[in-house]
């Protein structure tokens, strides 16, 4: 995961929300004119085509240990994700 675990929490939350709302884990880090069309396209469904083909992860969910943003932590709790969600509501 990213060294800033809150980044990971936000990405996981966004993927889960899109899975619930759209039926697919659409990348939450991008802007879409038409989310439903993007889901059908499957280009940005997680893991997205850039990740699968070139190992490029814009969301920093899938980063290699040698990435400058890679952290040591590889576990994230639901409690932490909910904590970050509450903090984000104020922004």
């Amino acid at each position: 995961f990213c060294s800033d675990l809150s980044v990971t929490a936000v990405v996981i939350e966004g993927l889960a929300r899109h899975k619930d709302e759209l039926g697919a884990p659409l990348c939450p880090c991008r802007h879409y004119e038409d989310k439903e069309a993007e889901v059908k396209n499957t280009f940005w469904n997680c893991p997205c085509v850039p990740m699968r083909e070139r190992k490029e992860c814009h969301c920093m969910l899938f980063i290699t240990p040698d990435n400058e943003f890679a952290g040591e932590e590889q576990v994230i709790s639901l409690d932490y994700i909910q904590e970050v969600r509450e903090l984000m509501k104020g922004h």
Side-chain angles (χ1 to χ4, degrees):
F1 292 145
C2 179
S3 57
D4 181 349
L5 207 53
S6 67
V7 170
T8 303
V10 169
V11 171
I12 290 172
E13 167 102 22
L15 289 169
R17 186 173 53 258
H18 283 155
K19 176 82 169 138
D20 285 348
E21 294 171 0
L22 303 167
L26 186 65
C27 179
C29 301
R30 300 188 179 274
H31 171 75
Y32 310 97
E33 294 298 322
D34 184 344
K35 289 182 180 182
E36 288 79 13
E38 290 294 338
V39 166
K40 289 175 185 167
N41 181 354
T42 71
F43 190 81
W44 295 116
N45 290 345
C46 189
C48 63
V49 172
M51 174 57 207
R52 290 188 310 248
E53 291 181 355
R54 298 183 301 278
K55 305 300 182 230
E56 295 172 1
C57 185
H58 177 79
C59 302
M60 298 195 324
L61 187 60
F62 302 103
I63 53 178
T64 57
D66 61 333
N67 185 297
E68 65 179 300
F69 297 105
E72 298 294 320
E73 190 62 49
Q74 292 301 300
V75 176
I76 189 168
S77 70
L78 180 56
D79 289 339
Y80 184 76
I81 292 172
Q82 291 170 331
E83 214 175 284
V84 171
R85 179 192 322 139
E86 291 305 313
L87 288 171
M88 297 298 290
K89 283 183 181 177
H91 295 5

